[in-house]
Each structure stands twice: as C-alpha cells, then as structure tokens.
Amino acid sequence: MSKKRATETKMNRSLTALAACAVVAASPAFAQAPGVLPPDTLPHDLSPWGMFMAADIVVKAVMIGLAAASVVTWTVALFKLIELAGAARAAAVSHGRIAAAGALAAAAGRLTGRRDPVARMLRAAGRELVAARPDLPGVPAQGVKERVASTLARIEAAAGRQLANGTGLLATIGATAPFVGLFGTVWGIMNAFVGISRAQTTNLAVVAPGIAEALLATALGLVAAIPAVIVYNLCARAIASHRAQLRDSGALIERLVSRELDHAMRRL
C-alpha cells in the first residue's frame, strides 16, 4: 500500500507540473517571440496629425512654430508681390506720361493726383526749379541740377526702403527654419533612444514612431524655409528692377529740368 501511495503522489506531482507548464505556455508573454511586442503596443496612427499628437511637448512646440512661420511666409509673400506689381505698374504709367509730355509743366499736369514715387520726383523737381528761378541770373545752373539730382535720389531710396519692408522677415525664416526643424529632430531622436533604453529592446516598432515624429519636424522646417527663400529672392529682384525703373524716370526728369534751365537762361 505504501508503494502504491508513493506512485500516486508522484503522478499527481507530474500532472500538476504539466498543467503549470501548459498555463505558462498559453500566456501572451510566453507565446510572444523574443524582441516582438504585443500587437496592442504597436503604433496605429502614423499619419502627420497622429505623429504630431503623439510627439513630445518640445517637438510639438517646434512644429507649431514652424507652421506659424510658414503661414507668415505666405502672408508676406502675397502682400509683397501685390505691392511690387502695383508699384511697377504705377511707375511705368507715370514714366510714359512724362515721356509723352516733353516738358516739365505739361508732365506735371498729366500726373496731377498721382502719388507714386515718379510723380513725387517730378513735383519735387518742379519745386526746386521754381525756388531757383528768381536767382538764375546769379546762380549757376549746375547747382540747380545737383540739388534736383539729390532730391530725386532721396525719393528713389525712400521708395526702395518702403518696398523692402517685410523682406527681412522672409530672409530670417529662410535662414533659421531648417535649423529649428533640426533641433526638433535631434530632440525627437533623443527621446526615441530613451524609449529604447526603457523598453530594453531594439525592436523597430519601439524606435520608429519617435524617429518619424522627429523627421516630421525637419520636413516642416523645409516647408517653411524653401518658400521663404524663393519669395525673398523674387522680392529682391523685383525691388532692384523697380529702383532701376525709378532711376530711368529720374534721368528723364533731370533732362526736362536741364531743358527748362536752358530756356530760362536764354530768356534772361
């Protein structure tokens, strides 16, 4: 009887051990292969919005700042391109009217009510000529021409400065946005490595979301910087062209002033 009881006890212990092994084998932790995460821990939403919502607060701040910079870029670009196109068109119209007039007084009549730089240049030249006319017998005409040229140059410079307002912001965004995005990338990758250390696994499913969020910051930096650089270059070329247009109009006005002075000196 004692041998029979000992045999039954051993069989009971063996069955208990087998049952325990079966329970352990059936558990998710045991069934999961090494280095493979459970499905509920894998990222489900890797869309840009999902990555933004899952990003670290620093990376979110970088993304929001870059998105705001992109909005500012397109806003400034729209207003500056409209302003430059309008200024070029107004200068061309005034230049054509002065050229068609052929005389300073007739040109002033054709530009009555206009406020573009070319019209202001013509009126300033007329004021200088009127102020110098009483002293013409005793004042060299060259001095009047120099004063007119100086006045026209100041009006041209002021018009160029006015058109350049806002382009410095485009240059700043174009120069700094990639580096701001790079900062967000570095921060996101650092957080990804911290996640690897905490999870104690090199599985790509752990690393990929953080790296994707970090690269999204770089992409936003380029989205903000590339249009800013392009629009800045367009504005710079347009401003240079407009100033050349104003110089041409100034030269035309100086020729009219010189002709008026010659006529006045002959009459005197």
Side-chain angles (χ1 to χ4, degrees), residues 52 59-72 173 177 180 220 224:
F52 170 77
V59 181
K60 278 185 179 179
V62 169
M63 292 181 184
I64 292 173
L66 292 174
S70 181
V71 172
V72 170
I173 293 174
V180 175
L220 287 176

Side-chain angles (χ1 to χ4, degrees), residues 2 8 61 67 69 81 83 103 105 126 138 146 149 179 187 189 196-197 210 214 220 234 240 244 256 265:
S2 59
E8 290 177 354
L81 293 178
E83 181 184 10
E146 289 178 356
F179 296 101
W187 189 274
I189 291 177
I196 292 173
S197 176
L220 287 176
L234 289 175
L256 295 179
M265 294 297 291

Side-chain angles (χ1 to χ4, degrees), residues 40-86:
D40 57 351
T41 64
L42 296 177
H44 296 290
D45 187 6
L46 289 180
S47 65
W49 178 252
M51 288 188 290
F52 170 77
M53 294 304 295
D56 180 80
I57 184 63
V58 176
V59 181
K60 278 185 179 179
V62 169
M63 292 181 184
I64 292 173
L66 292 174
S70 181
V71 172
V72 170
T73 295
W74 287 109
T75 302
V76 173
L78 179 62
F79 280 99
K80 294 308 296 183
L81 293 178
I82 292 175
E83 181 184 10
L84 288 168

Side-chain angles (χ1 to χ4, degrees), residues 114-259:
R114 296 185 64 86
R115 296 184 176 182
D116 58 279
V118 176
R120 294 201 303 269
M121 292 165 73
L122 181 69
R123 287 192 286 269
R127 286 193 298 269
E128 286 291 338
L129 189 60
V130 170
R133 186 167 292 168
D135 301 326
L136 279 181
V139 175
Q142 185 62 33
V144 179
K145 295 177 183 179
E146 289 178 356
R147 289 194 295 273
V148 169
S150 174
T151 302
L152 299 184
R154 290 302 89 207
I155 295 175
E156 175 200 331
R161 286 194 300 269
Q162 182 179 359
L163 289 177
N165 288 337
T167 57
L169 183 61
L170 295 175
T172 300
I173 293 174
T176 59
F179 296 101
V180 175
L182 184 60
F183 168 74
T185 298
V186 171
W187 189 274
I189 291 177
M190 181 182 68
N191 285 338
F193 280 109
V194 171
I196 292 173
S197 176
R198 289 176 179 174
Q200 297 183 352
T201 178
T202 58
N203 193 289
L204 189 61
V206 176
V207 184
I211 294 178
E213 296 159 8
L215 294 178
L216 181 61
T218 298
L220 287 176
L222 296 177
V223 167
I226 293 174
V229 172
I230 293 174
V231 174
Y232 175 79
N233 290 332
L234 289 175
C235 290
R237 288 195 296 269
I239 292 172
S241 176
H242 182 68
R243 296 193 67 168
Q245 192 176 21
L246 294 181
R247 284 193 293 272
D248 291 341
S249 298
L252 177 60
I253 293 171
E254 288 179 14
R255 288 194 296 271
L256 295 179
V257 169
S258 178
R259 189 176 298 130

Side-chain angles (χ1 to χ4, degrees), residues 96-119:
R97 292 184 181 182
I98 294 173
L104 203 62
R110 287 172 178 257
L111 297 184
T112 301
R114 296 185 64 86
R115 296 184 176 182
D116 58 279
V118 176

